[in-house]
């Protein structure tokens, strides 16, 4: 059998789903509309409840006023002088008053509660349907009660004769349906006002919700909660510092890494940037007074790279990266490259010397060969001895020996000042190695290639204070730039492949100032630059029973090169 023909596929039926909306805009709008509706209904109900009671009270007081004006001594005289009848004077007066005041009824009764008047003449001569004892006892009565004519607002007043004796009472009723009609007539106007207030509230709710929709990018509450959770995880999990600032420059947010890099605490939020960091380049970079990309700043002993991005509300977000280790490795790489170049040059020189020595031996010039070897060995030994004689710290002495070798290969004479003397009591030798290495490298770059280039290093002590001076025969530093050269990121040289320049002198000054010292530059005796660094408390106290070791005598006329 052939399969039954099939018609076109029907699209799936989409069922309407009613439920609580997910968007912040929709939820806030519905909640505000519900609140506005509830407040309007409550206010309307609270207004209608006392209005009904007020209308009842007005009707009862009106009935009592009519009853009091009706209960005159003349009416009391007619009551006592005539029998109850439909054509009597009491009935005629009561009907006149009822017609003129619009009351539902005006009933005049005697002391036993028998009617002398009534809108229905058939009721005249009969006892009233409600208890008249209170009015007959001389008290006024206001009430809403039901009688032969239905429910009404009533007022009862005692009827006194000319002598003041109570001879009866007057009861006046206002039809209760008229009171209710007044109440119902007031409701449309009240509902119109309530509707207007509700419409104004709904419009305000819509406008507020639309603004909230734009500010929240029409996200759902669950999305906002997830974004906040992801934001917290990202801010506290990344290895970059993040600092958020408001338009006034106060810290709005600082994550864990930024606290570590800047030396701040959790209480930094809400405080001005200058109060937290103090004046300096770091504060200027974060505040936006220094513009650019990958700006270099030094905070404490850390080298930071900062990037600032303004926000639409006038604030900014600054990201910080720690390049301390990278810069240290870069400087070590530069030093290593210099040493490699020096070793390569020494390798060529050593090969030349070996060839010279081999030639002298083959020519059987043995005495000349011995003299040649002695001279070569003596020069290098004298260089190392002169450095170690004046610089007792092995780490710093090794640095200066290596720098002397590099200088010699670059055609620069590196000398240790004759009056230099640094004992082996440094608190932090690496700190002084950083200072000396940066200053010597800068001096070698300044004088490199010039004939008769010379760099002199002087090391001295005053108590526990170390005073370091590095002078050169280069072009010097103009007076207007002598403070600028200590600024992070400022340099006249091309940046190396591994990072940025302009950090060495900034680190030198920061290390000196951290110890309470100073780093300045002036003109040297040979016309070049002379850097002087003072490092207080850089030496430990001497041993009380230490025996002085005499310095190794240096070979006369041999200067460290």
């Amino acid at each position: 059998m052939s399969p039954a023909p099939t018609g076109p596929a029907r699209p799936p039926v989409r069922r309407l789903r009613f439920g609580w909306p997910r968007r912040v805009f929709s939820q806030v709008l519905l909640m505000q509309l519900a609140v506005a509706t509830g407040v309007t209904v409550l206010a309307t109900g609270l207004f209608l409840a006392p209005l009904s009671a007020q209308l009842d009270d007005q009707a009862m007081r009106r009935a009592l006023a009519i009853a009091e004006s009706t209960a005159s001594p003349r009416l009391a005289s007619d009551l006592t002088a005539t029998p109850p009848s439909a054509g009597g004077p009491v009935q005629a007066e009561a009907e006149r008053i009822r017609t003129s005041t619009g009351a539902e009824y005006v009933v005049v009764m005697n002391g036993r509660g028998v009617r002398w008047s009534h809108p229905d003449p058939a009721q005249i001569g009969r006892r009233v349907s409600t208890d008249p004892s209170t009015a007959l006892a001389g008290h006024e009565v206001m009430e809403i009660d039901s009688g032969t004519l239905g429910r009404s607002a009533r007022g009862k007043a005692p009827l006194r004769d000319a002598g003041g004796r109570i001879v009866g009472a007057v009861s006046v009723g206002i039809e209760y349906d008229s009171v209710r009609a007044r109440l119902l007539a007031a409701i449309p106007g009240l509902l119109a006002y309530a509707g207007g207030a509700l419409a104004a509230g709904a419009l305000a709710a819509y406008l507020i919700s639309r603004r909230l929709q734009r500010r929240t990018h029409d996200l759902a509450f669950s999305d906002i909660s997830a974004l906040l959770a992801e934001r917290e995880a990202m801010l506290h999990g990344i290895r970059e510092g993040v600092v958020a600032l408001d338009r006034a420059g106060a810290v709005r947010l600082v994550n864990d890494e930024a606290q570590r890099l800047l030396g701040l605490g959790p209480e930094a939020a809400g405080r001005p940037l200058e109060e937290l960091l103090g004046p300096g380049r770091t504060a200027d970079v974060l505040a936006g007074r220094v513009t650019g990309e990958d700006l270099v700043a030094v905070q404490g002993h850390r080298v930071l790279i900062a990037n600032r991005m303004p926000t639409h509300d006038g604030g900014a977000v600054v990201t910080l990266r720690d390049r301390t280790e990278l810069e240290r490795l870069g400087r070590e790489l530069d030093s290593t490259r210099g040493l490699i170049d020096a070793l390569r040059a020494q390798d060529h020189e050593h090969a030349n010397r070996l060839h010279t020595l081999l030639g002298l031996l083959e020519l059987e010039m043995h005495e000349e060969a011995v003299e040649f070897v002695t001279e070569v060995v003596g020069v290098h030994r004298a260089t190392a001895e002169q450095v170690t004689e004046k610089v007792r710290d092995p780490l710093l002495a090794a640095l200066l020996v290596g720098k002397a070798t590099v200088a010699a290969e670059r055609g620069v004479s590196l000398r240790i000042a004759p009056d230099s003397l640094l004992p082996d009591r440094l608190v932090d030798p690496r700190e002084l190695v950083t200072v000396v290495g940066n200053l010597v490298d800068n001096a070698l770059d300044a004088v490199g290639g010039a004939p008769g280039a010379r760099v002199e290093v002087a090391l001295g002590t005053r108590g526990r204070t170390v005073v370091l001076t590095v002078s050169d025969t280069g072009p010097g530093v103009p007076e207007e730039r002598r403070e600028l050269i200590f600024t992070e990121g400022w340099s006249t040289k091309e940046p190396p492949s591994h990072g940025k320049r302009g950090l060495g002198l900034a680190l030198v000054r920061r290390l000196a100032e951290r110890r309470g010292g100073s780093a300045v530059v002036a003109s040297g005796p040979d016309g070049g630059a002379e850097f002087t660094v003072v490092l207080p408390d850089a030496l430990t106290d001497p041993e009380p029973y230490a025996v002085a070791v005499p310095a190794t005598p240096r070979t006369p006329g041999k200067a460290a090169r």
Side-chain angles (χ1 to χ4, degrees):
M1 296 180 61
S2 60
T6 60
R10 294 182 178 181
V13 178
R14 306 182 70 178
R15 297 182 179 179
L16 295 177
R17 298 182 62 184
F18 298 96
W20 189 249
R22 296 180 63 249
R23 302 295 181 187
V24 176
F25 161 74
S26 303
Q27 291 189 26
V28 172
L29 179 60
L30 288 180
M31 287 188 291
Q32 288 182 328
L33 289 177
V35 170
T37 304
V39 169
T40 303
V41 171
L42 180 62
T44 304
L46 292 177
F47 181 78
L48 286 176
L51 178 62
S52 176
Q54 183 180 7
L55 292 176
D56 290 347
D57 183 71
Q58 289 178 355
M60 290 186 295
R61 289 184 181 278
R62 180 184 170 207
L64 180 60
I66 296 173
E68 289 177 339
S69 62
T70 303
S72 62
R74 186 173 64 82
L75 185 64
S77 176
D78 292 340
L79 177 67
T80 57
T82 61
S85 65
V90 175
Q91 171 68 1
E93 180 67 13
E95 284 299 298
R96 184 187 68 82
I97 295 174
R98 183 183 70 83
T99 303
S100 62
T101 59
E104 184 180 16
Y105 64 85
V106 177
V107 175
V108 181
M109 68 192 77
N110 64 1
R112 296 189 303 274
V114 178
R115 299 187 185 96
W116 248 251
S117 67
H118 196 276
D120 183 6
Q123 299 294 331
I124 298 175
R126 295 182 181 181
R127 184 175 173 80
V128 296
S129 58
T130 56
D131 184 16
S133 59
T134 303
L136 294 175
H139 302 290
E140 297 174 346
V141 177
M142 290 190 307
E143 62 183 0
I144 294 179
D145 204 354
S146 299
T148 57
L149 297 178
R151 190 172 180 80
S152 61
R154 300 181 178 185
K156 298 178 181 180
L159 180 62
R160 302 176 189 270
D161 59 11
R165 184 172 60 87
I166 297 176
V167 297
V170 178
S171 177
V172 177
I174 304 296
E175 186 178 4
Y176 193 73
D177 288 341
S178 65
V179 179
R180 183 177 300 169
R182 291 180 60 191
L183 177 62
L184 294 177
I187 289 179
L190 181 62
L191 292 180
Y193 285 115
L198 180 59
L203 178 61
Y206 176 77
L207 295 177
I208 294 174
S209 300
R210 285 290 297 175
R211 177 175 175 82
L212 185 62
Q213 181 184 26
R214 291 192 298 268
R215 297 299 295 270
T216 58
H217 303 285
D218 200 20
L219 295 174
F221 276 113
S222 58
D223 298 333
I224 295 177
S225 177
L227 286 175
L228 287 175
E230 293 169 0
R231 167 183 173 272
E232 290 298 313
M234 179 183 66
L235 287 177
H236 298 290
I238 61 175
R239 300 304 299 171
E240 287 192 3
V242 178
V243 180
L245 306 172
D246 60 16
R247 64 173 62 213
V251 175
R252 188 158 50 190
L253 177 144
V254 53
N255 71 343
D256 299 341
E257 183 66 8
Q259 293 179 20
R260 183 182 71 85
L261 296 178
L262 299 176
L264 304 178
E267 69 281 356
R271 297 173 61 186
L273 195 62
E274 284 74 9
E275 178 183 336
L276 295 171
L277 301 178
R281 178 177 170 85
T282 304
D284 293 340
V285 169
L286 268 62
R289 290 186 288 270
V290 179
T291 59
E293 295 182 356
D294 292 338
L295 297 174
V296 180
V298 178
Q299 182 68 13
H301 63 282
R302 299 186 183 279
V303 179
L304 307 178
I305 300 297
N307 283 282
R308 191 176 189 273
M309 177 64 67
T311 56
H312 68 279
D313 60 351
V317 175
V318 183
T319 58
L320 302 170
R321 286 175 288 162
D322 189 0
R323 293 181 62 95
T324 306
E325 292 301 320
L326 183 59
E327 292 298 328
R328 183 182 63 82
L329 292 175
R331 291 194 301 272
E332 291 183 359
L333 178 60
D334 288 340
S335 300
T336 303
R337 286 176 175 173
L339 289 175
I340 291 175
D341 292 339
L343 291 175
R344 185 179 296 113
Q346 285 187 354
D347 179 60
H348 289 289
E349 183 181 0
H350 183 65
N352 292 332
R353 288 170 180 169
L354 286 180
H355 293 158
T356 302
L357 179 60
L358 179 60
L360 291 173
L361 293 176
E362 288 180 351
L363 295 175
E364 297 183 357
M365 302 173 64
H366 302 100
E367 292 183 3
E368 288 79 358
V370 172
E371 183 180 354
F372 177 74
V373 172
T374 303
E375 181 180 359
V376 170
V377 174
V379 169
H380 290 281
R381 181 180 300 172
T383 301
E385 288 178 352
Q386 288 179 14
V387 172
T388 55
E389 175 187 359
K390 299 179 181 300
V391 180
R392 304 294 176 80
D393 182 80
L395 193 62
L396 186 58
L399 172 71
L400 290 173
V401 171
K403 294 295 183 184
T405 304
V406 174
E409 297 303 328
R410 296 173 63 176
V412 180
S413 172
L414 175 61
R415 302 188 305 180
I416 308 297
D419 56 347
S420 296
L421 181 61
L422 183 68
D424 187 13
R425 293 189 286 109
L426 291 176
V427 174
D428 188 356
R430 295 183 180 275
E431 184 177 89
L432 195 56
V433 165
T434 300
V435 173
V436 173
N438 278 292
L439 294 180
V440 171
D441 286 342
N442 286 342
L444 293 177
D445 291 338
V447 301
R454 185 172 66 256
V455 174
E456 183 175 86
V457 178
L459 290 163
T461 60
R462 293 199 298 262
R464 295 181 57 191
T465 300
V466 173
V467 180
L468 166 67
T469 302
V470 177
S471 58
D472 58 61
T473 57
V477 179
E479 188 171 355
E480 64 273 10
R481 293 187 177 182
R482 289 179 182 175
E483 285 299 318
L484 187 61
I485 62 174
F486 291 101
T487 304
E488 296 96 330
W490 190 92
S491 178
T492 59
K493 295 176 287 187
E494 292 295 327
S497 59
H498 58 77
K500 296 180 176 291
R501 289 196 181 271
L503 298 177
L505 293 178
L507 284 174
V508 168
R509 171 165 281 187
R510 191 60 58 91
L511 289 173
E513 292 178 347
R514 191 173 62 181
R515 284 193 169 275
S518 62
V520 296
V521 60
S523 295
D526 298 320
E530 183 178 76
F531 288 85
T532 303
V533 180
V534 179
L535 299 173
D537 298 326
L539 296 176
T540 60
D541 292 326
E543 295 292 337
Y545 301 105
V547 179
V549 179
T552 304
R554 60 187 181 93
T555 305
K558 299 293 184 178
R561 303 183 60 188

